[in-house]
Amino acid sequence: MSLGSYFRGLSHLFFPALCLGCRRAVDRWDQLLCVACEAGLPPNDSYRYPENEVTDRLAGRLPLVFGAAAYTFREGTVCQRLIHDLKYHHRPDVGRKLGRRFGERLSQLPALDDLSGIVPVPIHRRRRHQRGYNQAEAIAEGLSGALGAPTLAKALRRRSFQGSQTKRGKLERLENVRDSFALGSGDFSGRHLMLVDDVLTTGATLDFCGNVLLEAFPDVRLSVAVLAVAER
Ligand SMILES: [Zn+2]
């Protein structure tokens, strides 16, 4: 039992477990959502089609074996609240649990038969220190458990902040982001890797991360799994 779950267990003696969607009491500590909020979190099943919302957004930039999003991200939804808790309220368990659920949905797919590792998008060390964890890594760990492929948290790394971003132009900022991703450690020649992030918006981050791996290992095959794809 982790220290976090120990203290949450202990605090259950004094506080009820709360649904992360509506903050009403739920029966069990391992329950993220009440029945009503669970119904407000419809799964995104577009990965059943080879060309879908995820592959489309990366089309022409990153060749993919497979792309999937667990949910659709919209303002004011249960999905948004869960991701907010994962990123800003010290709840890596939300990432691990939703990652596990997602992995269970994906576990029988032939496209992922030869998957050899799961690569979370790295965050800056400073941000990791502030947050206490990398949210993409938490999701990757959940997926890992269900898909039987290891989490490769050191495959990519993030270089340090490059000064203030606010005074730079949009293009320069984008180039800065691209340059902030670098190869970590490991030989992934001929492997099938799954890149993992929390929310897919423009796709720039996944594009840059994937291309770092492709430049180093031209025969690597890539898939992408995100917790949520932002509606356009
Ligand atoms: Zn609820």
Side-chain angles (χ1 to χ4, degrees):
M1 185 189 276
S2 74
L3 206 59
S5 63
Y6 173 77
F7 281 115
R8 273 200 298 284
L10 200 66
S11 65
H12 195 193
L13 295 172
F14 309 104
F15 307 107
L18 299 180
C19 165
L20 291 179
C22 63
R23 315 288 175 197
R24 291 196 196 99
V26 289
D27 297 335
R28 300 189 328 266
W29 266 98
D30 59 352
Q31 197 176 343
L32 290 175
L33 297 168
C34 70
V35 177
C37 287
E38 198 67 67
L41 186 69
N44 180 320
D45 283 330
S46 71
Y47 63 79
R48 297 184 185 285
Y49 303 93
E51 286 180 9
N52 57 56
E53 289 168 276
V54 174
T55 58
D56 277 1
R57 214 159 294 188
L58 290 157
R61 296 191 279 169
L62 193 64
L64 292 180
V65 174
F66 174 79
Y71 308 104
T72 304
F73 187 94
R74 295 187 191 97
E75 296 292 328
T77 58
V78 173
C79 176
Q80 185 194 19
R81 287 196 283 280
L82 287 172
I83 286 174
H84 192 83
D85 279 338
L86 166 64
K87 288 177 82 168
Y88 306 112
H89 291 159
H90 203 85
R91 293 294 303 262
D93 61 305
V94 172
R96 282 193 286 269
K97 283 174 190 157
L98 294 180
R100 172 120 210 154
R101 274 194 199 183
F102 190 20
E104 283 162 3
R105 284 162 59 198
L106 303 180
S107 66
Q108 301 304 323
L109 296 175
L112 299 177
D113 270 353
D114 62 344
L115 191 68
S116 50
I118 301 181
V119 178
V121 166
I123 58 174
H124 290 106
R125 201 166 17 161
R126 204 176 308 175
R127 182 154 300 150
R128 191 195 174 99
H129 187 73
Q130 287 163 353
R131 191 172 287 160
Y133 55 93
N134 173 358
Q135 74 279 6
E137 195 176 327
I139 300 163
E141 284 166 1
L143 281 163
S144 216
L147 294 173
T151 302
L152 305 169
K154 293 194 161 71
L156 293 170
R157 61 194 174 84
R158 195 99 181 227
R159 297 195 184 112
S160 59
F161 289 114
Q162 313 220 337
S164 167
Q165 294 272 350
T166 50
K167 288 189 184 125
R168 298 171 197 269
K170 195 176 171 191
L171 197 64
E172 202 182 344
R173 278 208 302 274
L174 206 59
E175 277 175 12
N176 249 357
V177 176
R178 185 186 59 204
D179 294 342
S180 76
F181 293 105
L183 196 65
S185 56
D187 181 351
F188 305 116
S189 299
R191 300 294 184 91
H192 180 184
L193 302 179
M194 175 185 270
L195 283 166
V196 173
D197 206 359
D198 47 13
V199 182
L200 171 61
T201 48
T202 65
T205 303
L206 288 161
D207 166 5
F208 300 151
C209 284
N211 279 298
V212 166
L213 290 165
L214 274 174
E215 272 167 36
F217 311 107
D219 60 351
V220 78
R221 280 163 303 128
L222 297 173
S223 288
V224 159
V226 292
L227 207 48
V229 57
E231 240 184 356
R232 277 216 253 223

